[in-house]
Amino acid sequence: MRSVCGAVILIFLILAFAAIAVPATNAASTSAADKSASPVLAAFEARIQAYLDLKGKAESSVPHLSKDSKPEEVVRHQRALAARIKEARAGAKPGEFFTPDLEALVKRTVTEVLSGPDGKSVKASIMDENPDVPRITLHEQYPTAVPLSTMPPQILASLPQLPKGLEYRFLGTRLVLLDTDADIIIDYTGRVMAP
Amino acid sequence: MRQEIGPVVSRPSSRESSPRAALFLLLPLLAPLLLSVGCGLGAGAVARPASVEAPAVPEAPPVPLPNRSGSLKFAVLGDFGTGAKVEYELAAQMAKLEERFKLDLVVMVGDNLYGAERPQDFKSKFEDPYRPLLDGGVRFYAALGNHDARTQVDYDLFNMGGKLYYSLKAPHQSVRFFMLDSTYPVPEQIEWLEKELKGSNEDWKIAVFHHPLYSSGGRHGSDLQLRQTLEPLFIKYNVSVALTGHDHFYERIKPQHGIVHFVVGSGGRLAVDDIGKPSDLTARGFDTDQAFMAVEIDKDTMVFNAISRTGKIVDSGRIQRRVPEPTRASG
């Protein structure tokens, strides 16, 4: 029994060593992007924080929503919140969150993930039931005729993290920033991947 | 808020793999095997896979639901919220079943409301069709699909407690459901899932979410990206069953890594003939009518019936849960 056990351990150790020794062909480098990205990300984080402050004020002026609400309460709250946010952000223009610097960074990140070993299936996942929408309008509801695009975990882990109540979604090949409580689009990019 | 950007290092997919990737893939698969040979290397647990016993042909008599006192009885419903006549007809079958098989709860695998989500839509696409069950005290627990607005988390009758993902201890038997948000699997959710699974001491761990890790659907099919992320956790922490939807049919998948996967996206919209030629994955598929699942768990055994809009049992069987087997001491 001891000799069988020894052989098993030996095989295990050989495999473990081989796994480490084989060149890392799949490891994508993130260091270059990270170094140049820091100020851009810090600025994005500040804009998100400013939005949360604005949203907090908007929320305090609409009726409170409990976690077990009736549909009419859910819808009423959502619409009232959307209206307040729109009001507070009057004059907002596309690109206030996704500034040219950040959009370039997002595009680079998406491109790197999509050109990786799983790129084809990541893209298939994004484009599943995700038709291109001809026009996106700030502060409009996410189009009800279009399902929410599926965000692959690999993409979500690569983009800057967002606080609760904000999400990234792809609308076609563009990335939108969605306020899920108000169900409105608060910013969007140009195309960040090929059709 | 932690800010990082840049592609994460991808784990190799099942389709494309480098030699290094192949070894990395092999290691986790071989490790339990090697360690279970009898070396007694530590307290690692190797799970006995879930096993399924089902009639060999669809025409054979189905495995009946035992309807035992004290068992957990629940239904599984997915991709249903259309408000169309067929949804009501399937709901009527659920109500009919409930007359003799008292459901403790219903789990929903997402796409709970299609299209508009005005108050009247909640009524016509959910409250009205399932009224007999709701009035009978059956609680519905939702996971969200890609057609669902995120604000559904606050809707009282979906019992999500304002959360996009949550776990739910069943009222009877040693069962916990892990209700996941597969449309937006942020790292935070994955960390939460691992913690929940690790901390769960229930015998049955059942994952409920929208996008199937395995599916023979021509329209959507298996979500390989999600599989890479979730499956290792399911294997590691002894999940026995995964309930999913998205593809609009019923399919039972042959056990994968000891886990039984179901696609139950057959509650409303139907993708007729979408399974097409049954793939190697299919244990049983049904894509010609709406269907839901009725499930009973008693101790280590789950009995399931997939029931069509016309009341026909289109699949049935018995599943023994996965059991962690402590590694034996060397002799």
Side-chain angles (χ1 to χ4, degrees):
Chain A
M1 189 62 199
R2 277 169 191 253
S3 62
V4 172
C5 192
V8 165
I9 292 169
L10 188 62
I11 293 168
F12 185 80
L13 288 175
I14 289 168
L15 281 170
F17 176 76
I20 293 161
V22 175
T25 51
N26 285 329
S29 166
T30 61
S31 56
D34 285 346
K35 277 177 194 162
S36 63
S38 296
V40 179
L41 293 175
F44 178 66
E45 191 173 335
R47 290 192 294 277
I48 292 288
Q49 189 52 54
Y51 179 79
L52 291 182
D53 295 343
L54 176 148
K55 184 179 173 182
K57 283 182 192 151
E59 268 176 330
S60 64
S61 67
V62 298
H64 176 72
L65 187 66
S66 75
K67 295 192 188 320
D68 50 356
S69 301
K70 303 290 172 211
E72 48 275 24
E73 293 168 326
V74 173
V75 173
R76 200 183 309 131
H77 178 270
Q78 176 196 309
R79 286 181 184 164
L81 182 60
R84 292 280 192 281
I85 291 171
K86 193 173 175 178
E87 205 176 280
R89 295 192 75 220
K93 291 191 171 54
E96 290 195 0
F97 293 95
F98 295 124
T99 56
D101 281 355
L102 186 70
E103 182 169 332
L105 194 60
V106 167
K107 194 170 181 178
R108 212 158 60 230
T109 303
V110 171
T111 304
E112 280 189 46
V113 174
L114 295 186
S115 57
D118 297 333
K120 205 174 161 187
S121 62
V122 172
K123 188 162 182 188
S125 191
I126 294 169
M127 298 312 289
D128 178 30
E129 286 195 273
N130 175 25
D132 241 328
V133 175
R135 193 166 157 228
I136 303 175
T137 310
L138 269 196
H139 302 137
E140 286 294 302
Q141 197 181 9
Y142 195 91
T144 52
V146 179
L148 287 167
S149 60
T150 299
M151 297 297 293
Q154 293 79 351
I155 291 280
L156 287 173
S158 301
L159 292 171
Q161 290 185 28
L162 292 172
K164 189 175 177 292
L166 292 179
E167 290 183 357
Y168 302 107
R169 295 285 175 171
F170 284 99
L171 260 176
T173 54
R174 289 181 284 188
L175 192 70
V176 304
L177 189 56
L178 180 69
D179 184 317
T180 57
D181 299 315
D183 197 23
I184 54 169
I185 292 166
I186 60 168
D187 203 6
Y188 54 90
T189 66
R191 295 190 188 285
V192 291
M193 62 181 160
Chain B
M1 187 167 55
R2 187 171 59 90
Q3 291 295 356
E4 286 173 5
I5 193 166
V8 288
V9 178
S10 291
R11 274 169 290 174
S13 75
S14 54
R15 288 180 183 166
E16 302 169 68
S17 54
S18 68
R20 184 172 190 258
L23 283 169
F24 268 124
L25 277 176
L26 275 173
L27 270 176
L29 296 175
L30 286 175
L33 179 72
L34 295 172
L35 295 177
S36 65
V37 172
C39 299
L41 294 175
V46 180
R48 187 187 73 197
S51 61
V52 186
E53 183 193 320
V57 292
E59 296 75 27
V63 176
L65 295 164
N67 207 3
R68 289 204 179 106
S69 151
S71 64
L72 175 71
K73 301 171 185 74
F74 65 97
V76 187
L77 186 61
D79 303 72
F80 56 92
T82 62
K85 189 178 166 203
V86 287
E87 183 193 353
Y88 281 72
E89 289 171 346
L90 187 69
Q93 287 298 339
M94 291 175 72
K96 193 173 165 189
L97 172 81
E98 218 265 336
E99 287 170 11
R100 61 180 173 82
F101 182 77
K102 289 291 170 202
L103 292 169
D104 294 297
L105 55 103
V106 177
V107 291
M108 305 188 288
V109 299
D111 284 3
N112 312 314
L113 294 173
Y114 286 99
E117 299 197 9
R118 301 159 301 176
Q120 59 266 42
D121 295 304
F122 282 81
K123 189 168 182 303
S124 65
K125 297 170 186 175
F126 177 67
E127 293 175 16
D128 286 349
Y130 307 103
R131 175 59 55 205
L133 297 176
L134 291 165
D135 286 349
V138 179
R139 287 171 78 96
F140 286 68
Y141 293 91
L144 298 189
N146 56 320
H147 285 264
D148 297 316
R150 318 294 276 168
T151 44
Q152 286 183 22
V153 297
D154 294 312
Y155 174 42
D156 58 346
L157 296 181
F158 284 174
N159 291 297
M160 300 177 76
K163 292 175 183 163
L164 290 163
Y165 47 90
Y166 57 101
S167 82
L168 167 71
K169 184 170 171 49
H172 310 298
Q173 302 289 320
S174 183
V175 180
R176 184 171 286 275
F177 296 94
F178 298 86
M179 313 293 290
L180 308 179
D181 172 20
S182 63
T183 79
Y184 204 73
V186 274
E188 186 188 346
Q189 181 184 180
I190 306 307
E191 284 160 23
W192 167 87
L193 176 63
E194 174 149 28
K195 201 173 158 198
E196 284 287 304
L197 285 169
K198 196 174 180 181
S200 158
N201 54 11
E202 282 81 9
D203 290 342
W204 284 90
K205 297 181 188 179
I206 299 175
V208 182
F209 51 100
H210 190 60
H211 294 81
L213 305 192
Y214 294 92
S215 164
S216 304
R219 186 171 159 76
H220 300 301
S222 309
D223 191 320
L224 300 180
Q225 300 312 305
L226 197 63
R227 190 196 294 174
Q228 279 189 15
T229 302
L230 295 183
E231 191 171 56
L233 296 178
F234 291 176
I235 293 170
K236 183 174 179 184
Y237 295 109
N238 214 32
V239 170
S240 293
V241 173
L243 302 169
T244 65
H246 198 44
D247 270 317
H248 292 177
F249 49 66
Y250 168 82
E251 185 177 26
R252 173 165 53 87
I253 303 290
K254 290 173 188 165
Q256 302 291 323
H257 303 284
I259 300 165
V260 184
H261 295 254
F262 290 91
V263 181
V264 199
S266 47
R269 288 187 171 171
L270 198 68
V272 176
D273 293 334
D274 193 39
I275 298 181
K277 275 194 296 186
S279 70
D280 286 345
L281 295 172
T282 311
R284 183 67 46 82
F286 179 70
D287 60 3
T288 53
D289 205 346
Q290 279 71 22
F292 71 97
M293 280 178 76
V295 183
E296 182 170 356
I297 293 179
D298 189 24
K299 299 187 179 75
D300 291 341
T301 306
M302 169 191 280
V303 178
F304 62 91
N305 281 187
I307 301 171
S308 79
R309 183 180 56 90
T310 58
K312 189 178 166 197
I313 296 173
V314 295
D315 188 23
S316 67
R318 213 173 269 119
I319 297 172
Q320 296 300 317
R321 74 175 176 92
R322 291 178 73 204
V323 179
E325 290 175 352
T327 50
R328 288 164 291 175
S330 57

